Amino acid sequence: DAIAEKCSVPLIHIVDATLSVMRAAAPGDCGPVGLIATRGMLASGLYQTRFKAEGIECLCNTDEEMEQYFTPGCYAVKRGAIETGGQLLERAAEALLARGARRLILACTEVPLALDHIKSRHLPSSTDTNRALARACVNYWQEMRHIND
């Protein structure tokens, strides 16, 4: 937010783009959400703070789930074992769903790739944050193009 305030050009925030996609997919029923992300992203509070301001509860994997499912799942994808990674990351997702998440936020690049590879049944209730940001950028470009035509 501090960067956006000082920036002379529009800044498209990945969390705002994610919220927009979530609201379109599930109007009026956005939370609680399960946030699947790296420890660093979780520690930053980037998603949790903005979601909380919107009245949306964020559930995160426990330290044990991170160690058992998320971290080895991501490393499996990075080394090309996408099937194994998908299975582990799906377990991380299922842990969040078991605790009450209605939607999943896939805030790590390996997660959507791996879940898509195993054709996870949880993809329809998931939002890929990078895809949401890309969509927001394209939409902005199209809007600006029409204004300048």
Side-chain angles (χ1 to χ4, degrees):
D1 292 332
I3 293 171
E5 289 173 16
K6 302 221 186 268
C7 195
S8 63
V9 295
L11 185 69
I12 300 172
H13 198 292
I14 193 167
V15 181
D16 292 337
T18 300
L19 282 164
S20 179
V21 169
M22 278 178 43
R23 287 187 181 116
D29 188 27
C30 288
V33 298
L35 178 60
I36 303 177
T38 64
R39 289 181 192 274
M41 179 58 73
L42 295 174
S44 78
L46 183 73
Y47 285 88
Q48 301 95 308
T49 301
R50 224 164 178 108
F51 277 53
K52 184 177 181 180
E54 296 291 324
I56 300 169
E57 180 184 4
C58 253
L59 305 174
C60 302
N61 286 114
T62 64
D63 285 340
E64 184 178 317
E65 292 162 355
M66 294 294 284
E67 289 175 26
Q68 286 183 339
Y69 309 131
F70 179 83
T71 302
C74 283
Y75 281 117
V77 172
K78 289 177 189 288
R79 71 173 183 272
I82 301 173
E83 182 79 22
T84 299
Q87 292 167 356
L88 288 165
L89 292 166
E90 187 168 57
R91 289 185 192 144
E94 288 170 347
L96 296 169
L97 293 166
R99 285 201 300 282
R102 286 191 222 140
R103 297 197 55 74
L104 297 170
I105 305 304
L106 312 181
C108 176
T109 54
E110 289 80 11
V111 178
L113 172 76
L115 294 182
D116 184 60
H117 181 80
I118 65 165
K119 299 188 182 359
S120 174
R121 68 184 184 275
H122 305 303
L123 284 174
S125 62
S126 300
T127 301
D128 175 347
T129 60
N130 287 310
R131 185 173 293 221
L133 180 60
R135 183 178 298 149
C137 290
V138 169
N139 289 344
Y140 176 77
W141 176 78
Q142 289 175 330
E143 288 172 18
M144 292 299 102
R145 198 173 102 193
H146 286 112
I147 289 172
N148 294 322
D149 281 348

